[in-house]
Every structure is written in C-alpha cells, then in structure tokens.
Amino acid sequence: MQKYLLFLGLLLGGGTLTSCEKYLDVNDNPNNPISSTPNFLLPGIISNGIQTQMFSALRTPYITQYLVSRTRNSGGNDQYYLTNANSTNTFNYSYFQSGGNIPPMIKAAQEEGSPYYVGAGKIMQAVILAHVTDMLGDVPYSEAYQGGANYTPKYDPQEQIYGNINQLLDEGIVEMSRPSSENFRALYSTTPSESGDILYKGDPAKWVKLCYALKARQLQHLTKKAASGAYNPNAVLALCDKAFTSTADDAQIQYQTAVSPLTNTTNIFGTTRANFGTATFSTNIIKYLNGTTYPGVIDPRFGIMAPTTSTGADPGAGTTTNLTPGSTITDFYASWYARDLGYFEVITYHELKFIEAEAAFRAGNKTRALAAYRAGIQTHMRKIGVGGTFSAPAVTFPTISEAQITAYLASAAVAQTEADLTLRRIMEQKYIAMFLNPDSWSDLRRLDFDPTIYVNFVYPTLNVNSTLASKPDYKDRFPRRLLPGATEVLYNPNEIARIGGNDPDYITRPMWFDQP
C-alpha cells in the first residue's frame, strides 16, 4: 500500500478536501494561478483532478444502487431527484481547481525541457475530461481555460470530447516514453518536500499503462456503436495488452496520514467527513453478497464490503434497522471502503480484467474472456481481503484466504466453463468489484439497466421523480446524466439553454456514448 498515493498535505492550486460540498468562490480566479515550477503544480492537478471523481461519487452510488437512503424521503438521490448543486463540484473541480492549472504547468515544463511533466499534464487532462463528459455529456474544452478572456465557453459535443481524450492520451504516451535524460527536472522528489508525481512516484511506465487502461475503458463505453464501426472489441483487447499488469499499477488516492484538520485528509466515504450518514446498502448489492442471488453461496467479501448484519433496503423504501448496535451510526461506516485512511480508486487492474473479459466475450474469444473474468474476481478479492483493524471506523475486517477464493471460484456464483459464461456473469462480478466507482453508471447506461443482466436492480418504490416515472420506455426511466453545475446555470446560461440543460427531462436523455 505504500506504493500508492500519499499527498493530502500537498494540495496546491485549488483548495483542500472538505467535509461537505461547497460552491466555488467566484470572486477568485483559479485560471490565473501564481507562477510556479511544474513540480509544485502537478500535485494539485493530480489531487484535485481525482477529487472530481470523488465528488461525483457522493451521488452516483445512489443511482447505481450500491447505496440507498436510510429513511423514506421525497426528493432523495436514490429516487432520482437530482439538482444542479449535485454536480457543481464535478464541474468546478474539473475546470477550476485542477484543469485550470494544466496549461500553465505544460507551458512551464515545455520551456524548461521537462517532457514528463508535459505528459503528466496531458494525461491528467484526459482523466479529468473522460470523467466529466461521462457524468455530464457535452462539456467545454475547445474554449476552456481562457480565464477572464472567456467566462462563457461553448460546450463541445461528447463525440468531439472523446476524440480529444484519445489525442491527449496518445500525446501523453509519447512524452512519457522519452528517456529520463531528456528531462531537466525529475518527475518526483521527496526533498526538501514531496513534489511532482504523487500518483506513481516518478514512474513514467505506469503513466503509460494508465493511458492504455483509460483508452480501453473509454472505447468499451461504445459497445452500442459496433454497427457503425466505432466499437471494435479486438481494439479494446489490444489496449488491455498494453495497460495494467497488476494491482501495483492501480490509479488511486491513498489516505495514509492523518493531519490536522483531520477532515481535510480523510476518505470522502469515511466517518470523519460524514457524507453518508444517512445512507445504507441497497438490496441490490447485498443480495450478491449474502447468498440470495446464488442461494447458499456467501461471498467472502461479505463482512468486508458490508457487515454481515446488513440486509439492505430498496430505493425509496427506507429502513430503521441498519445501524451499529447502541449508536445512530449507519452500517455503511462498517464497510472496508469507509475507512478514514482508505483510498479512492480511479481505475484499477481488476476493472481492466473485466473490461478485457467483456471485450473478449463480444469478440467471440470465450477462452480469454473466461480467464480474464475469473482473474478479475480473484484480483479484487485479494486486494480488499487483506484484513486488519482500523480505528475509523473501529472495525476488524477479516482476511480472505486463498482457500476461500478457490472455493468461491468453484461455486455457482461464478461461471465454470466457456459455455456457462454470459454477459450477465461478467457484468455482475464487475459491478461488485467496482463498488462505489462512478464508472459503474456508464456500464448500467450502455446496457440500458437491463434486468436480465442486473437482476437485483429495483426501480424506486416510493416518491420516484415523476418526470422519469412517466416515461413509457423502461430504459428512459433511469437517469442518464447529471444536470449542469449550478455555477454554469448562473454564469453560462445561454450555453446551458442551448444544450437543453434546463429541460425537465434532461437527465433521462442518453449521451452520445450511450446511443447507436
């Protein structure tokens, strides 16, 4: 774990982690940062860029039914009442706290002759763009980052943004593939303080693998476009071959050190930041773990991902049970993912194995698909099954033994042969392993929330957003995008109106990647 990210005292260029969401101070101009060398700009670009995904993850686990509200309420996230405020930080951290510092960092790196910093800037720009477009749809890029010269940038079509992402990743690969001797400045340093590449500690080869992993993910999003030729599963497999080779390559934020104030340096899912104090687990995820979906097969991750006392609740139904005995603490905080000093996963090796499995399945290579699918399960179990006692929350998590992994892989919950392997089998195991990751929503959308694949998914039972519920087509009853950020509605209203962002059914409209 020491190889992962240790950074949270280093946030630069855009503020620190907070225990609750706040709006951007529009009187500040984060597009006009103070002059600095690339090594002191990159940590803030990485940390704040990844925070973009964290803030989305305050909403998407309700849409993807990892979590639901613990109380019956009208207007909850799990009932698909989304607001512009829900996505403000997703937008602002993309363009202000992180993205605005990328052009000046790249310029400074080019001027001093540090191509690794140029590459890191382009790759982080791609990471940020990929996430924000997959959450929001059309977003600014061609006119972004101009500061006071343009406060109302146009929104580029998502198809164009996907092209920009690929170009940035290709350019990042070129820069990160140069010899270290061409760099004026080391990519990472610990003296006099930690600076530079806080993600991969100065390993350009891992940045290259990240590029290929992200390219594979984004191309896999386009499965509906096979007929037009925009999606080719063999092209995805070729990308997987160049991407991550183990969990040591995972791109993730690791919270390793608690410093004062503690709320600034702890997990966004953790007890200290208290973002999920009103949440509990959905029946959707619990049924996969507790032996309901596959009767008699208890997943060894039960007791780690969620306490074994959890029964889950349907969206909109509420529950009064899932509490820690003798307290009012929701059972979510007894999850391994809710450790204050846990981590936030951006893209991982186990996700890549499931991408490979699906692509191989679609390509008709069942042998490769089965092997990758089973490797994905095994890798995720090994990663979270390390055991240990943690003070926040005060929980001891069990170890998952190799014998347990072997037994689970031999169980009815897992496809045993190529003939047994189906898209449902692949996607439900990917769903489990992607717990809380916002990109699970991309899978659900492109597969139209198919009840034959996501067999435990439940439409909200109470108080569902009437705009969605009135849709006659099954897939259009579910959210397909977040609303534009509240600051954009206020300060860029003409563009928001042009893309239809004020329309009552906007969140139900499929994005470009989600259409044939």
Side-chain angles (χ1 to χ4, degrees), residues 34-63:
I34 61 172
S35 177
S36 183
T37 53
N39 57 312
F40 290 114
L41 288 172
L42 183 56
I45 290 169
I46 293 171
S47 60
N48 287 320
I50 293 175
Q51 275 195 89
T52 297
Q53 301 194 27
M54 295 185 205
F55 284 119
S56 297
L58 297 182
R59 307 300 168 196
T60 56
Y62 294 94
I63 298 172

Side-chain angles (χ1 to χ4, degrees), residues 65-363:
Q65 291 186 17
Y66 288 123
L67 304 177
V68 294
S69 174
R70 192 156 44 84
T71 58
R72 292 188 180 190
N73 62 350
S74 178
N77 289 316
D78 60 341
Q79 297 152 298
Y80 308 146
Y81 283 89
L82 306 180
T83 70
N84 299 103
N86 293 158
S87 43
T88 295
N89 275 337
T90 297
F91 185 91
N92 287 349
Y93 269 77
S94 297
Y95 290 96
F96 302 114
Q97 277 85 342
S98 182
N101 282 337
I102 293 176
M105 187 196 73
I106 289 177
K107 181 176 183 293
Q110 289 171 332
E111 289 174 350
E112 72 173 23
S114 296
Y116 285 170
Y117 282 91
V118 176
K122 289 178 179 290
I123 296 165
M124 281 306 305
Q125 181 68 84
V127 169
I128 292 165
L129 271 181
H131 177 72
V132 74
T133 191
D134 288 336
M135 296 297 105
L136 298 173
D138 296 353
V139 291
Y141 182 63
S142 62
E143 294 185 2
Y145 312 123
Q146 297 179 23
N150 186 2
Y151 289 126
T152 58
K154 73 175 182 180
Y155 277 52
D156 298 326
Q158 186 177 68
E159 180 177 8
Q160 181 177 322
I161 296 294
Y162 263 57
N164 296 140
I165 293 163
N166 267 317
Q167 180 179 346
L168 286 163
L169 292 172
D170 288 339
E171 292 172 357
I173 290 168
V174 170
E175 300 295 343
M176 285 297 187
S177 299
R178 297 185 189 278
S180 59
S181 60
E182 291 188 13
N183 283 267
F184 169 78
R185 187 183 304 278
L187 184 56
Y188 175 69
S189 176
T190 58
T191 56
S193 61
E194 188 175 28
S195 66
D197 173 19
I198 58 172
L199 180 60
Y200 284 129
K201 301 296 194 287
D203 188 340
K206 289 188 176 182
W207 282 94
V208 171
K209 290 179 182 179
L210 170 58
C211 289
Y212 286 114
L214 184 57
K215 286 169 74 73
R217 175 198 271 182
Q218 296 306 109
L219 183 54
Q220 191 62 20
H221 285 173
L222 306 184
T223 50
K224 286 184 175 179
K225 299 182 181 296
S228 68
Y231 173 75
N232 181 346
N234 287 309
V236 176
L237 295 175
L239 294 169
C240 290
D241 289 337
K242 297 179 180 180
F244 299 154
T245 56
S246 75
T247 56
D249 297 329
D250 290 354
Q252 60 189 23
I253 282 182
Q254 175 71 60
Y255 302 91
Q256 292 179 324
T257 303
V259 297
S260 182
L262 187 62
T263 54
N264 291 346
T265 60
T266 55
N267 188 355
I268 200 165
F269 300 132
T271 52
T272 295
R273 297 181 71 178
N275 285 306
F276 292 104
T278 60
T280 188
F281 299 96
S282 74
T283 52
N284 187 24
I285 187 66
I286 294 299
K287 286 178 179 179
Y288 285 122
L289 302 175
N290 70 0
T292 299
T293 306
Y294 293 97
V297 181
I298 306 298
D299 194 310
R301 291 167 288 193
F302 200 31
I304 299 174
M305 295 177 66
T308 55
T309 54
S310 298
T311 57
D314 289 344
T319 176
T320 58
T321 56
N322 295 303
L323 303 174
T324 301
S327 76
T328 58
I329 302 297
T330 173
D331 62 343
F332 174 77
Y333 290 128
S335 170
W336 187 80
Y337 285 85
R339 295 167 296 139
D340 267 346
L341 300 185
Y343 55 73
F344 182 87
E345 297 176 336
V346 177
I347 185 167
T348 63
Y349 178 62
H350 58 258
E351 177 187 349
L352 186 74
K353 297 310 289 183
F354 288 113
I355 291 172
E356 178 186 350
E358 182 188 357
F361 180 83
R362 291 180 182 275

Side-chain angles (χ1 to χ4, degrees), residues 356-358 360-361 365-374 421 426:
E356 178 186 350
E358 182 188 357
F361 180 83
N365 188 342
K366 299 293 184 65
T367 300
R368 181 170 181 175
L370 182 65
Y373 155 78
R374 293 171 70 85
L421 190 63
I426 294 169

